[in-house]
Protein backbone atom coordinates (compact mmCIF):
# COMPACT_ATOMS: atom_id res chain seq x y z
CA UNK A 1 0.00 0.00 0.00
CA UNK A 2 1.35 3.41 -0.97
CA UNK A 3 1.32 6.27 1.58
CA UNK A 4 -1.36 8.16 -0.28
CA UNK A 5 -3.79 5.27 -0.66
CA UNK A 6 -6.73 5.07 1.71
CA UNK A 7 -6.65 2.24 4.22
CA UNK A 8 -9.01 -0.71 4.18
CA UNK A 9 -12.55 0.14 5.08
CA UNK A 10 -14.23 -1.17 8.20
CA UNK A 11 -16.61 -3.14 6.04
CA UNK A 12 -13.75 -5.06 4.50
CA UNK A 13 -12.30 -5.83 7.88
CA UNK A 14 -15.62 -7.12 9.10
CA UNK A 15 -16.05 -9.16 5.94
CA UNK A 16 -12.60 -10.70 6.38
CA UNK A 17 -13.47 -11.55 9.96
CA UNK A 18 -16.60 -13.27 8.74
CA UNK A 19 -19.00 -10.62 10.02
CA UNK A 20 -20.70 -8.94 7.09
CA UNK A 21 -22.38 -5.68 8.11
CA UNK A 22 -25.56 -5.00 6.12
CA UNK A 23 -26.23 -1.53 4.74
CA UNK A 24 -29.52 0.21 5.28
CA UNK A 25 -31.27 2.05 2.47
CA UNK A 26 -29.42 5.29 1.77
CA UNK A 27 -25.93 3.87 2.29
CA UNK A 28 -25.69 4.02 6.08
CA UNK A 29 -24.65 0.90 7.94
CA UNK A 30 -27.20 -0.68 10.26
CA UNK A 31 -26.27 -2.12 13.64
CA UNK A 32 -26.28 -5.89 13.93
CA UNK A 33 -29.21 -7.28 15.89
CA UNK A 34 -28.47 -7.77 19.57
CA UNK A 35 -28.67 -11.30 20.86
CA UNK A 36 -30.71 -11.78 24.00
CA UNK A 37 -29.25 -14.41 26.33
CA UNK A 38 -31.44 -17.45 26.78
CA UNK A 39 -33.09 -17.38 30.16
CA UNK A 40 -32.93 -20.49 32.26
CA UNK A 41 -36.33 -22.18 32.30
CA UNK A 42 -37.11 -23.73 35.66
CA UNK A 43 -38.43 -27.27 35.45
CA UNK A 44 -40.55 -29.29 37.80
CA UNK A 45 -38.82 -30.36 40.99
CA UNK A 46 -37.96 -34.09 40.81
CA UNK A 47 -39.11 -34.58 44.41
CA UNK A 48 -42.65 -33.68 43.33
CA UNK A 49 -42.75 -36.61 40.93
CA UNK A 50 -41.50 -38.96 43.65
CA UNK A 51 -44.10 -37.74 46.15
CA UNK A 52 -46.81 -38.13 43.50
CA UNK A 53 -45.73 -41.68 42.66
CA UNK A 54 -45.30 -42.72 46.30
CA UNK A 55 -48.77 -41.38 47.06
CA UNK A 56 -50.21 -43.50 44.25
CA UNK A 57 -48.36 -46.48 45.68
CA UNK A 58 -49.90 -45.82 49.10
CA UNK A 59 -53.31 -45.64 47.44
CA UNK A 60 -52.64 -49.00 45.76
CA UNK A 61 -51.97 -50.62 49.13
CA UNK A 62 -55.41 -49.60 50.39
CA UNK A 63 -57.39 -51.68 47.90
CA UNK A 64 -57.45 -55.04 46.14
CA UNK A 65 -60.21 -54.06 43.72
CA UNK A 66 -58.77 -54.89 40.28
CA UNK A 67 -60.80 -52.13 38.61
CA UNK A 68 -59.37 -49.43 40.89
CA UNK A 69 -55.88 -50.86 40.52
CA UNK A 70 -56.29 -50.86 36.74
CA UNK A 71 -57.31 -47.19 36.93
CA UNK A 72 -54.16 -46.41 38.95
CA UNK A 73 -52.03 -48.22 36.39
CA UNK A 74 -53.68 -46.38 33.51
CA UNK A 75 -53.35 -42.97 35.21
CA UNK A 76 -49.66 -43.42 36.04
CA UNK A 77 -48.92 -44.82 32.59
CA UNK A 78 -50.63 -41.90 30.85
CA UNK A 79 -48.67 -39.34 32.87
CA UNK A 80 -45.44 -41.16 32.06
CA UNK A 81 -46.33 -41.24 28.36
CA UNK A 82 -46.98 -37.49 28.28
CA UNK A 83 -44.10 -36.27 30.45
CA UNK A 84 -41.30 -38.81 30.08
CA UNK A 85 -38.10 -37.34 28.67
CA UNK A 86 -35.94 -39.08 26.02
CA UNK A 87 -33.05 -39.44 28.50
CA UNK A 88 -31.62 -42.95 29.01
CA UNK A 89 -32.72 -43.11 32.66
CA UNK A 90 -36.35 -42.59 31.57
CA UNK A 91 -36.39 -45.96 29.81
CA UNK A 92 -36.63 -47.84 33.10
CA UNK A 93 -40.44 -47.74 33.07
CA UNK A 94 -40.66 -50.71 30.73
CA UNK A 95 -38.38 -52.74 32.99
CA UNK A 96 -40.60 -52.02 35.99
CA UNK A 97 -43.70 -53.03 34.01
CA UNK A 98 -42.08 -56.35 33.08
CA UNK A 99 -41.03 -56.87 36.69
CA UNK A 100 -44.62 -56.19 37.83
CA UNK A 101 -45.97 -58.77 35.38
CA UNK A 102 -43.41 -61.29 36.61
CA UNK A 103 -44.42 -60.66 40.24
CA UNK A 104 -48.09 -61.13 39.38
CA UNK A 105 -47.38 -64.39 37.56
CA UNK A 106 -45.16 -65.72 40.36
CA UNK A 107 -47.82 -64.91 42.97
CA UNK A 108 -50.43 -66.88 41.04
CA UNK A 109 -48.06 -69.80 40.44
CA UNK A 110 -47.24 -69.97 44.15
CA UNK A 111 -50.93 -70.11 44.95
CA UNK A 112 -51.40 -72.95 42.45
CA UNK A 113 -48.36 -74.96 43.54
CA UNK A 114 -48.40 -74.39 47.31
CA UNK A 115 -52.11 -74.05 47.85
CA UNK A 116 -54.03 -71.28 49.57
CA UNK A 117 -55.90 -70.97 52.88
CA UNK A 118 -58.88 -69.52 50.99
CA UNK A 119 -61.68 -72.11 50.84
CA UNK A 120 -63.40 -72.63 47.52
CA UNK A 121 -65.94 -74.78 45.76
CA UNK A 122 -65.09 -74.11 42.11
CA UNK A 123 -62.31 -76.56 41.31
CA UNK A 124 -60.19 -75.71 38.29
CA UNK A 125 -57.81 -78.68 38.35
CA UNK A 126 -56.30 -81.17 40.73
CA UNK A 127 -52.52 -81.51 40.87
CA UNK A 128 -50.65 -84.53 42.27
CA UNK A 129 -50.08 -83.84 45.96
CA UNK A 130 -46.63 -84.48 47.39
CA UNK A 131 -46.65 -85.91 50.94
CA UNK A 132 -44.62 -83.86 53.41
CA UNK A 133 -43.24 -84.80 56.86
CA UNK A 134 -45.10 -83.97 60.03
CA UNK A 135 -42.92 -80.94 60.81
CA UNK A 136 -44.17 -79.28 57.61
CA UNK A 137 -47.81 -79.27 58.65
CA UNK A 138 -49.79 -76.42 57.13
CA UNK A 139 -47.82 -76.58 53.88
CA UNK A 140 -48.87 -78.66 50.93
CA UNK A 141 -47.50 -79.18 47.43
CA UNK A 142 -50.11 -79.73 44.77
CA UNK A 143 -53.66 -80.78 45.46
CA UNK A 144 -56.91 -79.12 44.50
CA UNK A 145 -56.72 -75.70 42.85
CA UNK A 146 -59.85 -73.58 43.17
CA UNK A 147 -60.93 -70.48 41.29
CA UNK A 148 -61.35 -68.61 44.57
CA UNK A 149 -57.72 -69.22 45.56
CA UNK A 150 -56.39 -68.21 42.15
CA UNK A 151 -58.51 -65.05 42.11
CA UNK A 152 -57.40 -64.08 45.62
CA UNK A 153 -53.74 -64.54 44.60
CA UNK A 154 -54.31 -62.47 41.44
CA UNK A 155 -55.84 -59.61 43.45
CA UNK A 156 -52.95 -59.68 45.91
CA UNK A 157 -50.32 -59.88 43.16
CA UNK A 158 -51.95 -57.06 41.21
CA UNK A 159 -51.69 -54.80 44.27
CA UNK A 160 -47.95 -55.42 44.52
CA UNK A 161 -47.54 -55.04 40.76
CA UNK A 162 -49.27 -51.65 40.86
CA UNK A 163 -46.92 -50.53 43.63
CA UNK A 164 -43.90 -51.52 41.50
CA UNK A 165 -45.27 -49.69 38.46
CA UNK A 166 -45.73 -46.53 40.54
CA UNK A 167 -42.09 -46.71 41.61
CA UNK A 168 -41.15 -47.19 37.95
CA UNK A 169 -43.14 -44.08 37.06
CA UNK A 170 -41.13 -42.05 39.57
CA UNK A 171 -37.88 -43.37 38.09
CA UNK A 172 -39.03 -42.50 34.57
CA UNK A 173 -40.21 -38.98 35.39
CA UNK A 174 -37.63 -37.69 37.89
CA UNK A 175 -34.01 -37.19 36.89
CA UNK A 176 -31.78 -39.03 39.40
CA UNK A 177 -29.00 -36.46 39.06
CA UNK A 178 -31.34 -33.55 39.80
CA UNK A 179 -32.90 -35.50 42.66
CA UNK A 180 -29.51 -36.11 44.25
CA UNK A 181 -28.64 -32.43 43.79
CA UNK A 182 -31.81 -31.48 45.67
CA UNK A 183 -30.96 -33.54 48.75
CA UNK A 184 -30.78 -31.58 52.01
CA UNK A 185 -27.42 -30.65 53.46
CA UNK A 186 -27.58 -33.39 56.10
CA UNK A 187 -27.48 -36.02 53.33
CA UNK A 188 -24.71 -34.25 51.45
CA UNK A 189 -22.10 -37.01 51.93
CA UNK A 190 -24.60 -39.70 50.94
CA UNK A 191 -25.53 -37.80 47.79
CA UNK A 192 -21.89 -37.38 46.79
CA UNK A 193 -21.23 -41.10 47.32
CA UNK A 194 -24.23 -42.07 45.19
CA UNK A 195 -23.22 -39.65 42.42
CA UNK A 196 -19.68 -41.04 42.39
CA UNK A 197 -21.02 -44.61 42.27
CA UNK A 198 -23.39 -43.81 39.43
CA UNK A 199 -20.56 -42.09 37.56
CA UNK A 200 -18.09 -44.95 37.97
CA UNK A 201 -20.44 -47.74 36.87
CA UNK A 202 -20.55 -46.70 33.17
CA UNK A 203 -16.75 -46.30 33.16
CA UNK A 204 -16.29 -49.84 34.46
CA UNK A 205 -18.61 -51.27 31.81
CA UNK A 206 -16.82 -49.31 29.08
CA UNK A 207 -13.41 -50.54 30.30
CA UNK A 208 -14.57 -54.17 30.30
CA UNK A 209 -15.92 -53.88 26.75
CA UNK A 210 -12.77 -52.16 25.52
CA UNK A 211 -10.43 -54.74 27.03
CA UNK A 212 -12.49 -57.69 25.82
CA UNK A 213 -12.53 -56.26 22.28
CA UNK A 214 -8.76 -55.72 22.41
CA UNK A 215 -8.17 -59.33 23.52
CA UNK A 216 -10.41 -60.65 20.75
CA UNK A 217 -8.49 -58.64 18.14
CA UNK A 218 -5.24 -60.16 19.44
CA UNK A 219 -6.67 -63.68 19.31
CA UNK A 220 -6.66 -64.13 23.07
CA UNK A 221 -9.53 -65.64 25.06
CA UNK A 222 -11.87 -63.20 26.79
CA UNK A 223 -14.13 -65.73 28.48
CA UNK A 224 -13.66 -68.26 31.25
CA UNK A 225 -11.60 -67.93 34.41
CA UNK A 226 -8.39 -66.97 32.58
CA UNK A 227 -10.13 -64.35 30.49
CA UNK A 228 -11.85 -62.97 33.58
CA UNK A 229 -8.54 -62.56 35.37
CA UNK A 230 -6.84 -60.98 32.36
CA UNK A 231 -9.67 -58.48 31.95
CA UNK A 232 -10.50 -57.91 35.61
CA UNK A 233 -7.03 -56.88 36.75
CA UNK A 234 -6.61 -53.98 34.27
CA UNK A 235 -10.16 -52.83 35.00
CA UNK A 236 -9.46 -52.85 38.73
CA UNK A 237 -6.19 -50.98 38.23
CA UNK A 238 -7.88 -48.33 36.11
CA UNK A 239 -10.68 -47.94 38.65
CA UNK A 240 -8.17 -47.43 41.47
CA UNK A 241 -6.26 -44.81 39.47
CA UNK A 242 -9.50 -43.03 38.62
CA UNK A 243 -10.55 -43.12 42.28
CA UNK A 244 -7.28 -41.58 43.45
CA UNK A 245 -7.51 -38.83 40.83
CA UNK A 246 -11.12 -38.10 41.73
CA UNK A 247 -10.30 -38.01 45.45
CA UNK A 248 -7.49 -35.53 44.84
CA UNK A 249 -9.75 -33.35 42.70
CA UNK A 250 -12.53 -33.38 45.29
CA UNK A 251 -10.09 -32.57 48.08
CA UNK A 252 -8.74 -29.63 46.09
CA UNK A 253 -12.27 -28.29 45.60
CA UNK A 254 -13.21 -28.51 49.27
CA UNK A 255 -15.50 -31.54 49.30
CA UNK A 256 -16.06 -32.98 52.75
CA UNK A 257 -15.49 -29.72 54.62
CA UNK A 258 -17.99 -29.22 57.42
CA UNK A 259 -18.82 -26.31 59.67
CA UNK A 260 -18.38 -26.24 63.43
CA UNK A 261 -21.62 -27.36 65.10
CA UNK A 262 -22.07 -27.49 68.89
CA UNK A 263 -22.38 -30.92 70.51
CA UNK A 264 -25.99 -30.37 71.74
CA UNK A 265 -27.07 -29.55 68.20
CA UNK A 266 -25.43 -32.74 66.90
CA UNK A 267 -27.13 -34.87 69.54
CA UNK A 268 -30.49 -33.24 68.89
CA UNK A 269 -30.07 -33.79 65.15
CA UNK A 270 -29.25 -37.47 65.62
CA UNK A 271 -32.19 -37.99 68.00
CA UNK A 272 -34.68 -36.24 65.70
CA UNK A 273 -33.49 -38.04 62.58
CA UNK A 274 -33.39 -41.50 64.18
CA UNK A 275 -36.70 -41.01 65.98
CA UNK A 276 -38.30 -39.66 62.82
CA UNK A 277 -37.18 -42.63 60.75
CA UNK A 278 -38.48 -45.05 63.38
CA UNK A 279 -41.77 -43.16 63.41
CA UNK A 280 -42.02 -43.36 59.63
CA UNK A 281 -41.41 -47.13 59.74
CA UNK A 282 -43.96 -47.66 62.52
CA UNK A 283 -46.53 -45.43 60.85
CA UNK A 284 -46.09 -47.15 57.49
CA UNK A 285 -46.52 -50.54 59.13
CA UNK A 286 -49.67 -49.28 60.83
CA UNK A 287 -51.10 -48.05 57.53
CA UNK A 288 -50.38 -51.34 55.79
CA UNK A 289 -52.07 -53.45 58.47
CA UNK A 290 -55.72 -53.50 59.34
CA UNK A 291 -55.08 -53.32 63.10
CA UNK A 292 -52.91 -50.19 62.93
CA UNK A 293 -55.30 -47.97 61.02
CA UNK A 294 -55.98 -45.78 64.06
CA UNK A 295 -52.42 -44.96 65.02
CA UNK A 296 -50.65 -45.38 61.64
CA UNK A 297 -51.32 -41.96 60.14
CA UNK A 298 -50.54 -39.85 63.28
CA UNK A 299 -47.31 -41.75 63.93
CA UNK A 300 -46.31 -41.43 60.29
CA UNK A 301 -46.90 -37.67 60.26
CA UNK A 302 -45.02 -37.21 63.54
CA UNK A 303 -42.11 -39.24 62.18
CA UNK A 304 -41.98 -37.23 58.97
CA UNK A 305 -41.97 -33.94 60.89
CA UNK A 306 -39.23 -35.14 63.25
CA UNK A 307 -37.09 -36.41 60.37
CA UNK A 308 -37.48 -33.13 58.47
CA UNK A 309 -36.48 -31.18 61.58
CA UNK A 310 -33.41 -33.38 62.00
CA UNK A 311 -32.42 -32.92 58.37
CA UNK A 312 -32.89 -29.17 58.72
CA UNK A 313 -30.59 -29.01 61.73
CA UNK A 314 -28.09 -31.39 60.14
CA UNK A 315 -27.83 -29.13 57.10
CA UNK A 316 -25.89 -26.62 59.18
CA UNK A 317 -22.84 -28.90 58.95
CA UNK A 318 -22.61 -28.34 55.22
CA UNK A 319 -22.74 -24.64 54.28
CA UNK A 320 -22.94 -24.85 50.51
CA UNK A 321 -24.83 -23.36 47.62
CA UNK A 322 -26.49 -25.03 44.64
CA UNK A 323 -25.98 -24.07 41.03
CA UNK A 324 -29.37 -23.40 39.47
CA UNK A 325 -31.45 -25.06 42.20
CA UNK A 326 -34.74 -26.62 41.16
CA UNK A 327 -37.56 -24.35 42.36
CA UNK A 328 -40.56 -25.72 44.20
CA UNK A 329 -43.33 -23.79 42.55
CA UNK A 330 -47.06 -24.02 41.94
CA UNK A 331 -46.71 -26.95 39.54
CA UNK A 332 -44.78 -28.96 42.14
CA UNK A 333 -47.51 -28.30 44.71
CA UNK A 334 -50.14 -29.35 42.16
CA UNK A 335 -48.40 -32.63 41.36
CA UNK A 336 -47.80 -33.45 45.02
CA UNK A 337 -51.32 -32.44 46.02
CA UNK A 338 -52.96 -34.58 43.34
CA UNK A 339 -51.11 -37.68 44.49
CA UNK A 340 -51.74 -36.95 48.17
CA UNK A 341 -55.45 -36.43 47.46
CA UNK A 342 -55.68 -39.85 45.79
CA UNK A 343 -53.95 -41.52 48.74
CA UNK A 344 -56.08 -39.73 51.33
CA UNK A 345 -59.39 -40.38 49.57
CA UNK A 346 -58.70 -44.07 49.00
CA UNK A 347 -57.62 -44.44 52.62
CA UNK A 348 -60.89 -42.83 53.68
CA UNK A 349 -62.83 -45.09 51.33
CA UNK A 350 -61.14 -48.20 52.72
CA UNK A 351 -62.40 -47.24 56.18
CA UNK A 352 -65.93 -46.25 55.21
CA UNK A 353 -66.64 -48.84 52.52
CA UNK A 354 -64.16 -51.71 52.88
CA UNK A 355 -66.28 -54.16 50.91
CA UNK A 356 -66.09 -52.02 47.77
CA UNK A 357 -62.32 -51.65 47.94
CA UNK A 358 -61.72 -55.26 48.99
CA UNK A 359 -64.09 -57.43 46.95
CA UNK A 360 -64.59 -60.90 48.33
CA UNK A 361 -63.84 -64.13 46.53
CA UNK A 362 -66.03 -66.40 48.69
CA UNK A 363 -68.64 -66.55 47.26
CA UNK A 364 -67.18 -65.96 43.84
CA UNK A 365 -68.60 -62.65 42.55
CA UNK A 366 -67.47 -60.10 39.98
CA UNK A 367 -65.91 -56.90 41.42
CA UNK A 368 -67.80 -53.65 41.04
CA UNK A 369 -66.40 -50.19 40.42
CA UNK A 370 -67.17 -47.76 43.27
CA UNK A 371 -67.92 -44.35 41.82
CA UNK A 372 -66.33 -41.79 44.14
CA UNK A 373 -63.12 -43.80 44.78
CA UNK A 374 -62.79 -44.13 40.99
CA UNK A 375 -63.26 -40.37 40.63
CA UNK A 376 -60.59 -39.89 43.30
CA UNK A 377 -58.15 -42.02 41.29
CA UNK A 378 -58.73 -39.81 38.25
CA UNK A 379 -57.19 -36.92 40.20
CA UNK A 380 -53.84 -38.54 39.48
CA UNK A 381 -54.24 -37.40 35.85
CA UNK A 382 -53.97 -33.70 36.76
CA UNK A 383 -50.19 -33.51 36.09
CA UNK A 384 -50.75 -34.71 32.52
CA UNK A 385 -52.90 -31.68 31.70
CA UNK A 386 -51.83 -28.93 34.13
CA UNK A 387 -48.04 -29.35 34.11
CA UNK A 388 -46.15 -28.31 30.96
CA UNK A 389 -43.83 -30.83 29.40
CA UNK A 390 -40.20 -30.27 30.36
CA UNK A 391 -37.82 -29.30 27.54
CA UNK A 392 -35.63 -32.12 26.25
Amino acid sequence: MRPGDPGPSRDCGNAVAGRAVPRAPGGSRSRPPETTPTRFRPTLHPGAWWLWAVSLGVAATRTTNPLLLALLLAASGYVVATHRSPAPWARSYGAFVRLALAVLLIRVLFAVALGSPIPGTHTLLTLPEVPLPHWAQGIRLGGRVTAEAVLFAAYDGLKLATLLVCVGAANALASPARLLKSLPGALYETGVAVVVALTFAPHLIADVRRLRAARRLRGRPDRGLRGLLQVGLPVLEGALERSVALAAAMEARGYGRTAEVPAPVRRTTAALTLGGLLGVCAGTYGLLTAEGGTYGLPVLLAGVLAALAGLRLGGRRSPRTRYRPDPWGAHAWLVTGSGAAVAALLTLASVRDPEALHPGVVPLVAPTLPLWPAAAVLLALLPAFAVPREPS
Side-chain angles (χ1 to χ4, degrees):
M1 182 185 303
R2 290 178 297 179
D5 293 341
S9 65
R10 187 177 301 177
D11 294 348
C12 296
N14 289 333
V16 172
R19 297 174 298 181
V21 180
R23 289 184 176 273
S28 61
R29 287 186 297 269
S30 61
R31 297 181 61 184
E34 296 181 358
T35 58
T36 304
T38 303
R39 187 179 179 183
F40 173 68
R41 291 185 58 186
T43 53
L44 188 68
H45 198 285
W49 287 123
W50 268 100
L51 292 176
W52 172 81
V54 170
S55 299
L56 295 189
V58 171
T61 62
R62 308 313 300 169
T63 179
T64 56
N65 191 319
L67 301 179
L68 291 177
L69 293 175
L71 276 179
L72 283 171
L73 290 173
S76 61
Y78 184 78
V79 174
V80 169
T82 55
H83 284 73
R84 181 172 57 177
S85 69
W89 47 263
R91 303 172 187 171
S92 60
Y93 185 73
F96 276 91
V97 172
R98 290 190 292 268
L99 178 62
L101 292 176
V103 167
L104 176 60
L105 181 61
I106 291 173
R107 180 66 180 88
V108 174
L109 290 178
F110 266 86
V112 171
L114 302 179
S116 175
I118 302 299
T121 57
H122 298 77
T123 303
L124 297 178
L125 70 154
T126 302
L127 299 176
E129 187 170 355
V130 179
L132 298 176
H134 67 280
W135 50 265
Q137 293 181 358
I139 303 175
R140 68 176 179 87
L141 296 177
R144 191 167 62 97
V145 179
T146 62
E148 290 83 355
V150 172
L151 194 60
F152 177 81
Y155 288 172
D156 194 43
L158 184 59
K159 179 173 68 173
L160 182 56
T162 306
L163 183 60
L164 289 174
V165 171
C166 291
V167 175
N171 282 274
L173 293 171
S175 170
R178 286 172 51 201
L179 184 64
L180 289 172
K181 189 180 70 172
S182 303
L183 287 176
L187 302 178
Y188 164 66
E189 291 85 358
T190 305
V192 171
V194 174
V195 169
V196 170
L198 292 177
T199 305
F200 266 67
H203 288 292
L204 293 179
I205 296 174
D207 289 346
V208 170
R209 291 179 178 177
R210 177 174 54 82
L211 290 172
R212 291 184 61 184
R215 290 185 62 83
R216 284 195 299 267
L217 290 175
R218 291 175 174 84
R220 299 177 182 177
D222 61 329
R223 298 181 182 275
L225 182 59
R226 182 178 179 182
L228 179 62
L229 292 176
Q230 295 295 329
V231 172
L233 290 178
V235 170
L236 181 60
E237 181 182 359
L240 290 176
E241 292 179 354
R242 196 178 297 115
S243 300
V244 172
L246 179 62
M250 293 175 66
E251 177 66 22
R253 288 165 174 81
Y255 280 89
R257 308 286 174 85
T258 58
E260 292 292 336
V261 180
V265 176
R266 290 199 301 268
R267 288 193 290 266
T268 305
T269 302
L272 287 174
T273 305
L274 182 59
L277 294 178
L278 291 177
V280 169
C281 294
T284 305
Y285 176 79
L287 288 177
L288 295 178
T289 57
E291 294 81 5
T294 56
Y295 70 87
L297 186 59
V299 173
L300 178 61
L301 293 178
V304 169
L305 292 177
L308 291 177
L311 293 177
R312 181 69 177 177
L313 288 177
R316 297 181 180 180
R317 297 179 58 247
S318 176
R320 64 190 181 100
T321 58
R322 292 185 177 91
Y323 177 67
R324 286 183 176 178
D326 290 316
W328 188 279
H331 289 151
W333 284 113
L334 177 63
V335 171
T336 305
S338 63
V342 174
L345 290 175
L346 282 191
T347 302
L348 180 62
S350 65
V351 176
R352 291 190 172 183
D353 193 6
E355 295 181 0
L357 269 68
H358 300 278
V361 295
V362 180
L364 194 61
V365 294
T368 59
L369 181 64
L371 293 181
W372 74 269
V377 173
L378 295 180
L379 293 176
L381 291 173
L382 283 178
F385 303 101
V387 177
R389 182 181 175 86
E390 298 184 1
S392 301

